[in-house]
Amino acid sequence: MNRRISRLVLGIPAVLLLIAFVVVPYIEMLTMSLRMPGSGMPYGVGFTLGNFGHALGDPLYRGALARSLMLGAVVAALCLLLSYPVALHLARVSDRWHLVFYVCVVSPLLVGVLVRNFGWMIILAVDGPLNRLLLTVGLIDTPLRMLFNQGVVILALVHVFVPFMVLPITNALRNIDGALVEASASLGASDTRTFWRITFPLSFPGVQAALVLVFVLASSAYVTPALLGGQAVALLPSLIVDQLIGALAWPFGAALAIVLAAAMSLVVLAFTALSRPLAERTST
Amino acid sequence: MTEVAIEGLSKTYAQAPVLRDVSLRAASGELVTLLGPSGCGKTTTLRCLAGFVAPDAGEIRVDGASVLHLGPAKRDFGVVFQNYALFPHLSVFENVGYGLRVRGIGTAEIRRRVADALAVVSLQGLEERLPRALSGGQQQRVALARALVIRPRLLLLDEPLANLDARLRQEVRALIRGVQQEEGITAFYVTHDQAEAMAMSDRVAVMRQGRVLQFAPPREIYARPMSSYVAQFTGEANLLPVEVLGAIAPGRYRFAAAAGQGEASGPDGIVPGTRRLLMARPEALSPAGIGLPGLSVTVRAMTFLGAAQQCDAATSDGIALRLFLPPNLDLDPGADLVLDLDPEHAWLMPDEAP
């Protein structure tokens, strides 16, 4: 009984923080999304469902939503491909090297978001170092236009989200008993077979958590697409910011934000439901 | 039918030798136990056999052919691990059938062979359970079935009973030995429990600090240890410094100690006059008949154990002796006692007495 109470007490700060900075703002935003648009001011008098009708009915916003979700999925998938081998390595290295590799993996997060993105802009600029290198080597004749397209947005997002993928997967891999891999080998399984039948399924709880994390972060990313994506790609987060700050249409902006959050939640729910049989078997 | 020969196996980890010139043999159908304290090299020897560890030097031959160049997947050995090492995300059926699926065997035959293997370990009806829904004893049975179902050339068991409680340990021990003998599989068994080693093995290798001290059948290890370490590791052992007076028959000698004279067994060729350590198990000592000669001791302590009493006594020169007495015998500490020594169970060890 005492332990239960002390556990509740320990939870109070986190709960208060969530109420103050997640629940209350969401209620406020939901209320805002139902307000009438105003003229000459952020919102008008009275309530309406019209903002949601607009957000879901306009092909511009539907397309931007689809692109944002797709961007999240692609970035998550690429991160997984790049991160899994790193995580395998990190899970195996001795404790002395573990710290060194750990710092290397986390390094993208040690640079602020603006510095990181301006860094990409400098490196990839038409007269930037990468183009100059390629010209000098002779691989290209004219400088490439590498900035302001979807590809570079994906590249930059993958770069920064790899740590979010590597760390949970490494953790999951470190929790796998080495005797299981030996048992599989002693039963005649090749290394490849052992990986797909034993190691990968048992690391799935980490993979699942990492995929959700990166998908949500990438789908809702604002700064990187805004700086590196240019005008070519309309993604929902930047359209939301346009509404809130540019057009000063708070109710409509709030409705778009709610739509984005709901859509991401649906994707995450669907993914968790589909992968539940495996996750239930492999979580310890 | 598989014969195994291990010759001169050595392994060093970070300048610390864990195996030094280990040589062992197992005849077909034999269960060989590697017995010793933790860090003696018994598990490393088993891991070399399984192919998880490559020895620095030495040779492992199975039916005359070296297996050192083969990875664990190519050796066809069944391995049973201390912590069971069942695949937690696979059902009992999938665990046991794993080695068969890997070998590309058809579904119908897998089903039949898994059913047979589960019948051998009395686990029918649990096919669809996940390992975590099983008790420790059931998990180790699944692990045994999984190792046996591939019809391995060799069965390797790494302290398979260590995580089970005492009652289950007896049960699974009998099961392992029964299946091993019935199927005639050659097996290597690692344990630190001397009773387990005595009960299960055809031959026992007592190991210490990476070396095999003695490799012999359990009865010989117990009755004719080659060193005081082996004597003490394989059971209660009284060690008494004596002077050998002379041979009275082949392998039988008369000796003198401070506590008195007696007869004991020993290897051939002990020169009269040499000082040796006499090893006497507690069951070799009993009170002598009234007026008969023997070893004079003083009782130090009596401990009632139920079926017997443990009697701790000492000779006049301070050598402690332990023996077991019938539970109804009334003796108090301080009482003088003359002990009869059964020469058959008293052994003059090669160690020179101090």
Side-chain angles (χ1 to χ4, degrees), chain A residues 1-274:
Chain A
M1 197 60 203
N2 266 336
R3 279 183 60 180
R4 194 185 277 179
I5 290 173
S6 63
R7 231 180 284 166
L8 280 176
V9 170
L10 286 176
I12 285 175
V15 171
L16 288 180
L17 208 68
L18 279 176
I19 290 176
F21 294 104
V22 179
V23 179
V24 171
Y26 254 94
I27 291 172
E28 174 62 23
M29 205 164 69
L30 202 60
T31 321
M32 182 58 73
S33 71
L34 294 170
R35 288 185 193 278
M36 295 292 285
S39 52
M41 51 185 182
Y43 56 90
V45 186
F47 292 93
T48 176
L49 280 171
N51 298 317
F52 283 100
H54 185 197
L56 294 168
D58 191 327
L60 169 69
Y61 300 113
R62 281 216 306 263
L65 174 64
R67 267 194 302 279
S68 284
L69 296 180
M70 186 53 81
L71 176 73
V74 169
V75 168
L78 287 175
C79 271
L80 180 60
L81 282 179
L82 284 176
S83 304
Y84 206 97
V86 179
L88 270 178
H89 184 72
L90 202 57
R92 280 177 200 166
V93 292
S94 66
D95 285 343
R96 190 159 41 123
W97 282 103
H98 191 261
L99 187 68
V100 175
F101 285 110
Y102 191 91
V103 170
C104 291
V105 167
V106 180
S107 62
L109 299 178
L110 301 178
V111 184
V113 59
L114 285 175
V115 175
R116 198 169 53 236
N117 284 304
F118 283 125
W120 281 114
M121 291 172 87
I122 293 166
I123 291 170
L124 299 177
V126 173
D127 56 349
L130 185 60
N131 264 320
R132 261 180 280 150
L133 178 73
L134 290 174
L135 283 169
T136 319
V137 175
L139 280 172
I140 50 171
D141 299 324
T142 49
L144 297 173
R145 294 181 52 85
M146 288 179 282
L147 280 168
F148 312 124
N149 56 58
Q150 193 141 13
V152 72
V153 172
I154 292 174
L155 172 71
L157 289 178
V158 167
H159 169 244
V160 68
F161 291 145
V162 156
F164 291 93
M165 192 67 84
V166 170
L167 300 183
I169 297 176
T170 305
N171 242 335
L173 286 170
R174 289 187 87 140
N175 283 334
I176 299 177
D177 180 2
L180 296 178
V181 173
E182 290 178 349
S184 175
S186 76
L187 290 166
S190 63
D191 290 352
T192 320
R193 188 156 191 134
T194 299
F195 176 78
W196 287 113
R197 283 290 285 168
I198 308 298
T199 310
F200 185 75
L202 289 178
S203 72
F204 187 73
V207 171
Q208 190 188 37
L211 281 175
V212 167
L213 202 61
V214 171
F215 169 76
V216 169
L217 288 172
S219 293
S220 58
Y222 168 67
V223 176
T224 299
L227 288 179
L228 300 180
Q231 299 304 309
V233 272
L235 292 166
L236 200 48
S238 52
L239 294 185
I240 294 171
V241 174
D242 286 349
Q243 289 300 321
L244 293 176
I245 295 169
L248 224 63
W250 288 6
F252 185 53
L256 284 176
I258 298 276
V259 165
L260 178 60
M264 289 192 303
S265 306
L266 277 179
V267 172
V268 169
L269 276 176
F271 170 67
T272 336
L274 283 175

